[in-house]
Amino acid sequence: MINRATRAGAVLLAAGRGTRLRPLTDVVPKPALPLLDVPLAAFGLESLRRAAIRPLINLSHLAASAERALRPFAPEGLWLNEPPEPFGTAGTLREADARGLLDPTFVVWNGDVVADVHPGELLEEHRRSGAGATIVVHPVNAGADFVVAGGRATSFIDRRERMDAPGVRFAGISAMSSSALSVIPSAGPAGIGESILRPLTESGEVAVVVTDVPVLDVGTVGAFLVASQRLLDRHPVAPRPPGAVTGVPGGRAYLGPGSRAASGVMGPGAVLLRASVAEAGARIERAVVWPGDHVAAGALVEDCVWFKGRPLRAPADGAGAR
């Protein structure tokens, strides 16, 4: 239910189905995917909380489960439950603005992004820029979304057509003015890239903030593995994981609440999520054991997600680190 007496200074986009994360997202909604037992979208919500910005969170797939997981991290948040066929990222902004739920300037944060970006500073930079949108980007030699010059995006690149183009890649975090939403089609699903950023770029209305901080985009099983390992390396992180990060020979490992692992089982990069068990004689390295799962004696679990008693692997493409 939406509280119409308040407005939001940010939209956290969390309605995605997470198709590329299946079968994990068949049982857990994408924004609640456990990174060291912390819901994925909670990292963005924590950044907004620290900046004292009230979020609006949109939900669709397994919405009730997602809200239960995220509500502790957004006690003053607004919630927008979308139909089974979601509005699309730009359509969500159109709907929220039509309902009077957004401040005149607001942050948009993709719920599958983990990054040490300060949303309050981004809003300040956006207001100074006078642009319709201000996007956080980082330079890439290939797979760019934009060409930039003089602090503005000068060309929009469709990665589906030009996968090798150099330039900058959008980090999934932006600030916008409500006046810029007029470019969104009036009906039907619409995405931020094609429906907002492309036309605003063509009119010179997209300012850029170039960052060199790591950006984790958790959109695939491989990216989920990468993000879990990176968060181990970056410990402590916020929100703080509920389990224990410990040193092991060669690195760090994580043991979630209610989990048990026999001595010598956990190697570098081992992540045993809540209520999982690994028996003596097993070995786990650079892998995530799904909540409540069981690793039998003698099993070698490496570079995978151990899910429902079997390894779930992804192409070793380094996906997830932008």
Side-chain angles (χ1 to χ4, degrees), residues 19 40 260 263 308:
T19 302
L40 169 57
R260 294 184 288 109
S263 176
K308 294 188 175 181

Side-chain angles (χ1 to χ4, degrees), residues 103-228:
D103 287 342
T105 56
F106 54 90
V107 171
V108 183
W109 194 295
N110 285 4
D112 59 0
V113 167
V114 179
D116 189 17
V117 172
H118 195 295
E121 294 177 358
L122 176 61
L123 274 175
E124 292 175 5
E125 180 60 32
H126 173 65
R127 292 175 181 129
R128 285 194 295 267
S129 75
T134 301
I135 59 175
V136 178
V137 300
H138 63 100
V140 292
N141 294 322
D145 296 313
F146 298 91
V147 175
V148 301
R152 298 272 171 151
T154 57
S155 179
F156 179 90
I157 300 171
D158 188 336
R159 269 192 272 160
R160 296 168 297 183
E161 299 175 359
R162 299 175 57 194
M163 296 180 60
D164 297 329
V168 299
R169 184 175 296 180
F170 179 40
I173 303 169
S174 60
M176 296 187 185
S177 299
S178 58
S179 58
L181 303 184
S182 61
V183 299
I184 304 172
S186 60
I192 283 177
E194 287 290 336
S195 298
I196 299 179
L197 298 181
R198 180 190 284 271
L200 289 183
T201 296
E202 292 171 352
S203 61
E205 285 294 309
V206 176
V208 298
V209 173
V210 180
T211 184
D212 59 0
V213 303
V215 177
L216 302 176
D217 174 12
V218 188
T220 65
V221 172
F224 173 65
L225 281 168
V226 169
S228 298

